[in-house]
């Protein structure tokens, strides 16, 4: 059975009125049903609500922050996650986040390219990292100082030529 079918069956097997927690079902599934990889695999658990962050701190190897949350919010959530991991006696291997990133030749060029995208952007505007190489490097440094170990970059501009140029500048 697939994971969700298995978990649904576990819910149905319980006594009426007794609902197993998601943690209990996941733990049981991982112990009895999950396929075993030939080598160890890190499990990063995403989530923004405190119970999800706590679950990541207790059960995962790392945490994946919400990509649409602003810089201030992800800094606070990273601190919360790291504190919960410490309280659970765990040392995470990764504190990760995906960010939309555009690196322009200058801050002005980056603003010119990104402003039309931001007009329709669903996330917090501060979650979109853009600017010159120096500006973007500063924003990435802030995330590292907040405890982030991994940043997954998404080239969020529709023009492929600009996206490739941005990736090349990001490598600088």
């Amino acid at each position: 059975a697939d994971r969700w079918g298995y978990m649904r069956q576990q819910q149905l097997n319980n006594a009426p009125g007794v609902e197993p927690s998601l943690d209990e079902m996941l733990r049981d599934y991982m112990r009895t049903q999950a396929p075993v990889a030939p080598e160890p695999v890190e499990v990063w658990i995403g989530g923004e609500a405190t119970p999800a962050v706590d679950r990541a701190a207790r059960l995962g190897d790392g945490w994946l922050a919400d990509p649409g949350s602003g810089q201030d919010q992800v800094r606070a959530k990273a601190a919360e996650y790291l504190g919960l991991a410490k309280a659970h006696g765990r040392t995470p291997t990764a504190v990760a986040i995906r960010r939309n990133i555009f690196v322009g030749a200058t801050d002005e060029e980056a603003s010119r390219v990104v402003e039309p995208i931001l007009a329709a952007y669903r996330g917090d505007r501060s979650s979109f990292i853009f600017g010159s190489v120096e500006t973007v490097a500063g924003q990435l440094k802030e995330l590292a100082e907040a405890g982030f170990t991994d940043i997954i970059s998404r080239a969020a501009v529709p023009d492929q030529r600009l996206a490739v140029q941005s990736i090349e500048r990001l490598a600088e």
Side-chain angles (χ1 to χ4, degrees):
D2 69 11
R3 172 179 43 215
W4 303 117
Y6 174 81
M7 292 169 82
R8 182 67 187 131
Q9 190 59 46
Q10 291 300 102
Q11 287 179 316
L12 296 173
N13 289 342
N14 281 321
V18 177
E19 185 77 17
S21 72
L22 179 60
D23 284 356
E24 291 168 332
M25 289 190 298
L26 283 172
R27 198 173 301 115
D28 183 63
Y29 175 80
M30 295 303 289
R31 193 173 45 248
T32 63
Q33 302 293 318
V36 179
E39 57 189 56
V41 175
E42 283 191 12
V43 176
W44 297 359
I45 299 174
E48 194 67 17
T50 296
V53 175
D54 183 64
R55 184 177 301 113
R58 284 183 295 112
L59 302 174
D61 298 305
W63 172 65
L64 182 60
D66 176 38
S69 294
Q71 296 288 80
D72 291 339
Q73 186 176 0
V74 296
R75 275 196 294 274
K77 282 294 176 177
E80 179 182 7
Y81 168 72
L82 291 167
L84 288 166
K86 184 176 182 180
H88 290 299
R90 309 232 356 174
T91 303
T93 58
V95 180
I97 189 165
R98 181 187 61 78
R99 282 294 192 226
N100 292 317
I101 299 176
F102 178 74
V103 185
T106 64
D107 286 335
E108 293 75 22
E109 178 204 25
S111 289
R112 195 170 45 255
V113 169
V114 170
E115 282 304 324
I117 297 167
L118 287 175
Y121 191 59
R122 294 183 318 219
D124 184 303
R125 288 176 65 97
S126 72
S127 71
F128 200 122
I129 295 175
F130 64 97
S132 64
V133 170
E134 295 77 20
T135 299
V136 170
Q139 292 177 22
L140 297 177
K141 183 179 180 199
E142 287 178 17
L143 289 171
E145 289 169 350
F148 285 92
T149 59
D150 295 83
I151 299 169
I152 303 158
S153 173
R154 176 175 180 255
V157 294
D159 183 313
Q160 185 176 8
R161 181 184 56 80
L162 291 174
V164 169
Q165 288 173 351
S166 175
I167 292 166
E168 289 170 345
R169 290 183 189 117
L170 189 59
E172 295 177 17

